[in-house]
């Protein structure tokens, strides 16, 4: 952490979640610093993507995962004033989830009816990502851009969980499976393979028997099959 301001400049805008929060000296995962205690009030100074630069009451600052900070409720506007805008409006995420679900439903229906094949189904759903859980008035929605789950109701959402550390890809697409190798071309059997073919041992025995007959000075014995019926 680094000291940037005094307590007089501190105006808390968020608190650390109940699990605590890791912190870094810079928006860089390789430079960790002391973790923040649960429910610690902090002031959000700036944002850099998923990173948030925070200020503590003692004047120390650090970088944290800004998606996990819990906002402090703002006081109501004065009479006749403009109400504050809600940054975490659930309606855009609900519309995105409904569109993604409809695209997947159409692709699944085409596959089930035989109008398309498996490869066309994969192309139609590639990169499609959505998440929604509805339980009465409560809703959990997945925000793909920030890689986080949001929780709330129709009035607004807060961050419930994140899928990756700040600055890291939230959910990279899996690589395409490699193509299966083509079977090798059949080759001509070699002389060595011929020796292992059926009948090779019989031919070798006959050759050895013929050679043995020549060495003994007489013709090799011939095996004659008798005619049917036992005649000579």
């Amino acid at each position: 952490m680094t000291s940037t301001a005094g307590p007089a400049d501190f105006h808390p805008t968020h608190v650390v979640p109940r699990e605590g929060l890791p912190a870094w000296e810079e928006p860089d995962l390789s430079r960790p610093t002391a973790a923040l205690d649960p429910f610690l009030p902090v002031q959000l100074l700036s944002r850099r993507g998923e990173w948030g630069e925070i200020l503590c009451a003692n004047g120390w600052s650090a970088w944290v995962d800004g998606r996990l900070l819990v906002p402090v409720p703002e006081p109501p506007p004065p009479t006749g004033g403009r109400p504050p805008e809600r940054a975490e409006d659930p309606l855009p995420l609900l519309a995105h989830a409904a569109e993604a679900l409809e695209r997947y439903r159409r692709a699944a229906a085409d596959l089930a009816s035989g109008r398309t094949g498996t490869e066309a189904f994969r192309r139609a759903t590639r990169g499609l990502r959505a998440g929604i859980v509805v339980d009465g008035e409560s809703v959990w929605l997945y925000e793909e851009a920030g890689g986080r789950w949001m929780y709330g109701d129709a009035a607004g959402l807060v961050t419930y969980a994140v899928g990756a550390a700040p600055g890291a890809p939230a959910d990279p697409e899996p690589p395409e499976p490699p193509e299966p190798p083509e079977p090798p071309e059949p080759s001509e059997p070699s002389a060595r393979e011929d020796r292992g073919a059926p009948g090779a041992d019989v031919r070798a025995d006959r050759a050895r028997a013929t050679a043995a007959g020549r060495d003994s000075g007489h013709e090799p014995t011939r095996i004659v099959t008798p005619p049917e019926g036992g005649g000579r």
Side-chain angles (χ1 to χ4, degrees):
M1 287 187 175
T2 58
S3 179
T4 61
D9 301 316
F10 179 73
H11 303 285
T13 59
H14 296 75
V15 295
V16 175
R18 68 175 65 247
E19 298 83 9
L21 203 59
W24 292 265
E25 294 179 359
E26 299 289 340
D28 184 349
L29 294 177
S30 65
R31 302 188 62 182
T33 184
L36 302 181
D37 295 330
F39 304 113
L40 177 70
V42 297
Q43 180 181 350
L44 182 62
L45 300 178
S46 64
R47 284 188 179 273
R48 188 180 299 178
E50 297 162 354
W51 293 95
E53 184 184 14
I54 56 96
L55 175 68
C56 298
N58 61 1
W60 290 95
S61 67
W63 290 84
V64 298
D65 189 340
R67 300 169 295 178
L68 295 174
L69 292 173
V70 181
V72 174
E74 294 290 337
T79 304
R82 184 178 180 181
E85 296 181 359
R86 291 194 302 268
E88 307 296 347
D89 186 358
L91 295 183
L93 288 181
L94 286 169
H96 172 76
E99 180 184 356
L101 181 60
E102 177 60 20
R103 285 179 53 191
Y104 191 93
R105 186 200 65 78
R106 290 197 302 264
D110 290 341
L111 178 64
S113 64
R115 289 192 295 269
T116 60
T118 304
E119 185 59 32
F121 175 76
R122 291 179 57 193
R123 289 196 302 269
T125 57
R126 183 171 299 159
L128 198 61
R129 187 174 292 110
I132 179 172
V133 178
V134 178
D135 184 11
E137 65 179 13
S138 300
V139 63
W140 288 260
L141 290 166
Y142 181 71
E143 183 194 40
E144 183 178 358
R148 57 179 176 170
W149 279 91
M150 310 292 292
Y151 166 76
D153 53 22
L157 301 172
V158 295
T159 300
Y160 179 76
V162 297
D171 197 2
E173 293 188 18
E176 290 291 325
E179 296 292 335
E182 296 184 0
E185 294 289 337
S187 57
E188 294 294 331
S190 61
R192 181 175 298 177
E193 292 172 345
D194 287 344
R195 287 198 296 269
D201 293 340
V202 176
R203 291 195 298 270
D205 291 342
R206 290 177 178 174
R208 285 195 294 270
T210 302
R214 293 195 190 100
D215 293 341
S216 60
H218 57 78
E219 292 294 325
T221 302
R222 296 182 179 180
I223 300 176
V224 179
T225 302
E228 297 180 0
R232 294 183 179 179

